[in-house]
Amino acid sequence: MGVGAKEALALDWSARLAERAQAYIPGGVNSPVRAYRSVGGSPVFAARGEGSRIFDVDGNEYVDYVMSYGPLILGHAYPEVVEALERTTRSGTTFGAPTEIEVEVAEEICAAVPSVEMVRLTNSGTEATMSAVRVARGYTGREKILKFEGNYHGHGDALLVSAGSGVATLGLPDSPGVTEGAAKDTAVAPYNDLDAVREVFSEIGEEIAAVIVEPVGGNMGCVPPEEGFLEGLREVASQYGSVLIFDEVMSGFRVARGGAQERYGVTPDMTCLGKVIGGGLPVGAFGGRAEIMEMVAPVGPVYQAGTLSGNPLAMAAGLATLKATAEPGFYERLEELGDRWKAGMTEAAEAGDHPYCVNGVGSMVSLFFTGGPVRDFSSAAASDTEAFKDFFWHMMSRGVYLAPSQYEAGFISAAHTEDEIDRAAEAAREWFASGGAG
Ligand SMILES: *Cc1c(COP(=O)(O)O)cnc(C)c1O
């Protein structure tokens, strides 16, 4: 079905641009997730967005469930964000001097996110996690870190390790170019597996500077933390004097205004942010207890910097976004839309025989083509990616824009409507009812 579905979409101009792009940009994309390697075909080039909708260069219109992989919680071209950007641009876009709006953004973040007493702004989530790990190492005087299989923390060397061979595996690099030296201090445990965490700590706990975790897994599809997992991490990290870092680049201001730490009531020592806090512009941030953040230069000895960090444009888009999310009922509405998506997709999948698993936390959602439960990387990897590929093109042909990978979460914005979500579920139902792939 999917192959026909793909051909039903006119994507000629996208294909021509992809060809041009490939001559000068590796793979034709500036971030590999945008390539269509796992679904076949070439990337759909975006022309324009409006609210929940995205329009490609061939004039096809879709309801967008990618939302730039998370940042656009208000939808595309939200009027207050556009207006803030226009106004700010006219006054100069960067100064290399501090500006008032940085203070406002920092105040907003510290007020909303329970663990953050002080915050430093960066230009990407990758910078935020790299810096947080450096600060944790500086603070503890230790070198090792523990991360989880299938969690993504940007592409910094020490974090580009997910190993897979389980407990206490001291990392092998995931990518050529990452030295063994950079990877050897990174231990990896399966997500949602506290026993594995305790085992790692019983061996090398005294050497662990930080545990870094996505408190809601979002980079192996959406994988919620199981009851007790985050609490357990909190307990073990405290017991050994390690810094607990929640990487909330995706979940921050997404699964609740105060992120997963507010939603689950577990407070880490440090938090990384990005995506939503930039309102669609490049941004990241790391923060935490003042005592830890005072390690950062110029107050403390841990160096971290950025020419464009906290630049007025990113701050303006971010602040307008953060203010909109503070409106009463904002997250309740996202929660309702997410619940509707999950119920709709479950009902759709029940119309056929293909195994499935619907996961979601608030407006982060995933449909896996495996019987589930999907609770860690290996259960996510059991998903039938051939089925996903077919499903993907079917949905695209019905005007439902999804990330071209089984392992990306879907995102619902405040601009989506009940009707749009029902229509996505109806499109999915067609696919399941007709027998799915093959
Ligand atoms: C997106 C993401 C990052 C990386 O952020 P960039 O801005 O792409 O560098 C880090 N951690 C998590 C959890 C993310 O989802």
Side-chain angles (χ1 to χ4, degrees):
M1 180 202 297
V3 175
K6 177 163 58 176
E7 271 137 27
L9 268 175
L11 294 171
D12 305 336
W13 197 249
S14 274
R16 287 172 66 173
L17 285 177
E19 212 177 293
R20 261 173 75 194
Q22 273 167 38
Y24 299 103
I25 303 171
V29 291
N30 283 311
S31 193
V33 297
R34 299 175 199 164
Y36 274 37
R37 295 280 162 101
S38 66
V39 293
S42 62
V44 170
F45 277 66
R48 180 169 81 76
E50 192 185 319
S52 61
R53 305 297 172 112
I54 185 170
F55 301 81
D56 71 18
V57 290
D58 288 287
N60 299 301
E61 177 179 348
Y62 313 84
V63 177
D64 184 0
Y65 290 94
V66 181
M67 287 292 155
S68 193
Y69 294 91
L72 302 177
I73 201 162
L74 305 174
H76 294 275
Y78 187 75
E80 271 95 84
V81 172
V82 173
E83 200 255 324
L85 284 171
E86 284 173 352
R87 186 167 13 91
T88 306
T89 303
R90 278 187 224 105
S91 310
T93 56
T94 180
F95 303 103
T99 53
E100 183 169 353
I101 196 166
E102 292 164 76
V103 187
E104 290 180 76
V105 169
E107 285 170 348
E108 198 77 34
I109 290 172
C110 292
V113 185
S115 66
V116 181
E117 294 172 1
M118 294 182 97
V119 65
R120 170 65 61 82
L121 288 145
T122 65
N123 297 298
S124 69
T126 295
E127 279 181 63
T129 56
M130 277 170 37
S131 307
V133 166
R134 183 179 305 146
V135 170
R137 284 174 163 158
Y139 176 73
T140 56
R142 302 174 182 178
E143 297 199 344
K144 294 196 190 320
I145 56 174
L146 173 64
K147 78 174 285 289
F148 294 90
E149 201 186 350
N151 276 12
Y152 177 67
H153 304 294
H155 61 90
D157 282 1
L159 294 165
L160 210 53
V161 175
S162 67
S165 38
V167 191
T169 309
L170 276 186
L172 293 173
D174 259 3
S175 162
V178 174
T179 62
E180 275 173 41
K184 78 171 172 37
D185 288 324
T186 305
V188 181
Y191 197 69
N192 273 326
D193 188 343
L194 267 183
D195 289 340
V197 171
R198 292 207 180 93
E199 215 175 304
V200 173
F201 268 90
S202 72
E203 284 172 29
I204 55 165
E206 310 287 328
E207 299 168 66
I208 295 182
V211 180
I212 185 166
V213 65
E214 284 184 66
V216 173
N219 287 287
M220 46 182 160
C222 179
V223 178
E226 285 174 358
E227 182 130 15
F229 178 59
L230 299 176
E231 291 83 347
L233 294 182
R234 176 65 281 177
E235 198 186 301
V236 178
S238 298
Q239 186 189 335
Y240 284 87
S242 306
V243 174
L244 179 61
I245 305 173
F246 276 9
D247 178 357
E248 300 228 40
V249 170
M250 187 182 283
S251 58
F253 290 90
R254 165 63 65 180
V255 299
R257 195 153 190 278
Q261 54 199 273
E262 177 192 320
R263 190 176 178 113
Y264 297 103
V266 177
T267 307
D269 302 301
M270 295 187 79
T271 297
C272 301
L273 296 164
K275 297 196 168 106
V276 171
I277 66 160
L281 271 81
V283 137
F286 63 99
R289 289 208 315 272
E291 172 211 358
I292 298 177
M293 289 304 289
E294 281 169 352
M295 290 297 294
V296 179
V299 183
V302 177
Y303 196 70
Q304 191 281 333
T307 302
L308 289 167
S309 294
N311 72 82
L313 283 184
M315 296 302 100
L319 190 62
T321 301
L322 297 189
K323 291 227 184 290
T325 66
E327 290 297 317
F330 182 86
Y331 286 94
E332 285 78 358
R333 167 146 177 85
L334 282 180
E335 203 73 20
E336 279 167 24
L337 292 172
D339 287 345
R340 196 177 185 98
W341 189 96
K342 283 188 277 180
M345 287 299 163
T346 302
E347 211 182 297
E350 286 295 323
D353 297 325
H354 205 287
Y356 73 95
C357 175
V358 172
N359 274 2
V361 176
S363 56
M364 274 170 75
V365 293
S366 274
L367 168 60
F368 295 94
F369 294 91
T370 171
V374 173
R375 57 183 297 267
D376 56 14
F377 182 70
S378 58
S379 46
S383 198
D384 176 353
T385 50
E386 280 305 307
F388 173 79
K389 179 174 170 175
D390 197 82
F391 178 78
F392 170 84
W393 284 111
H394 169 77
M395 296 299 273
M396 291 289 278
S397 77
R398 296 295 184 276
V400 180
Y401 185 78
L402 302 177
S405 164
Q406 171 72 85
Y407 304 111
E408 298 294 341
F411 296 95
I412 297 167
S413 77
H416 285 79
T417 65
E418 278 82 358
D419 186 52
E420 286 170 341
I421 288 170
D422 293 349
R423 276 187 282 138
E426 185 47 41
R429 185 189 176 77
E430 273 177 42
W431 184 87
F432 279 100
S434 71

